[in-house]
């Protein structure tokens, strides 16, 4: 998968250093992945939430942070749509970001 863009993750972990290792691990694992269906993500990340429109929510640091991505399975692209604290996540419309 091609992750667009690592810069967003890097900027986040500079501000929230406790997220750095988990975000780096997620990035490396995602780069190597070849997910073709949401089910393949769920088998790797059982706590991930599969939403409509190709969006997936990953829990980071024991659900302290939320990472929302939009996936184009055919092109193998992962677009980072949101990374933030759990309480910030509650304020967004995840289906529209």
């Amino acid at each position: 998968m091609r992750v667009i863009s690592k810069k967003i993750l890097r900027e986040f972990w500079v501000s929230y250093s406790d997220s750095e290792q988990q975000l780096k691990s997620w990035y490396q694992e995602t780069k190597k992945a070849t997910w073709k269906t949401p089910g393949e993500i769920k088998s790797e990340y059982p706590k991930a939430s599969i939403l409509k429109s190709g969006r997936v929510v990953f829990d980071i640091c024991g659900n302290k942070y939320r990472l929302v991505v939009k996936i184009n399975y055919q092109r193998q692209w992962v677009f980072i749509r949101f990374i933030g604290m759990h309480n910030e996540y509650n304020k967004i419309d995840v289906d529209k970001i």
Side-chain angles (χ1 to χ4, degrees):
M1 304 295 285
R2 181 171 177 215
V3 179
I4 304 168
S5 121
K6 185 178 182 181
K7 179 183 177 194
I8 296 167
L9 299 177
R10 190 178 311 113
E11 288 172 352
F12 188 80
W13 76 56
V14 165
S15 297
Y16 301 94
S17 60
D18 61 328
S19 69
E20 183 174 0
Q21 288 308 312
Q22 283 197 10
L23 288 173
K24 283 181 175 179
S25 293
W26 177 88
Y27 178 81
Q28 291 302 321
E29 291 166 10
T30 301
K31 257 181 44 173
K32 294 175 186 173
T34 56
W35 300 318
K36 295 191 179 19
T37 67
E40 291 179 3
I41 295 171
K42 274 303 250 191
S43 67
E44 244 180 276
Y45 294 95
K47 292 186 179 182
S49 299
I50 308 298
L51 307 175
K52 59 185 174 183
S53 303
R55 285 174 172 76
V56 180
V57 181
F58 294 93
D59 297 335
I60 306 296
C61 292
N63 208 18
K64 183 176 181 181
Y65 307 112
R66 302 307 279 301
L67 171 63
V68 180
V69 300
K70 183 173 182 177
I71 299 177
N72 182 318
Y73 296 96
Q74 184 177 5
R75 296 188 186 265
Q76 295 285 287
W77 293 343
V78 176
F79 298 93
I80 296 172
R81 305 301 297 149
F82 172 85
I83 177 78
M85 298 191 72
H86 197 222
N87 62 344
E88 296 169 327
Y89 169 83
N90 291 334
K91 296 176 185 174
I92 64 169
D93 183 345
V94 73
D95 294 319
K96 293 185 180 176
I97 61 162

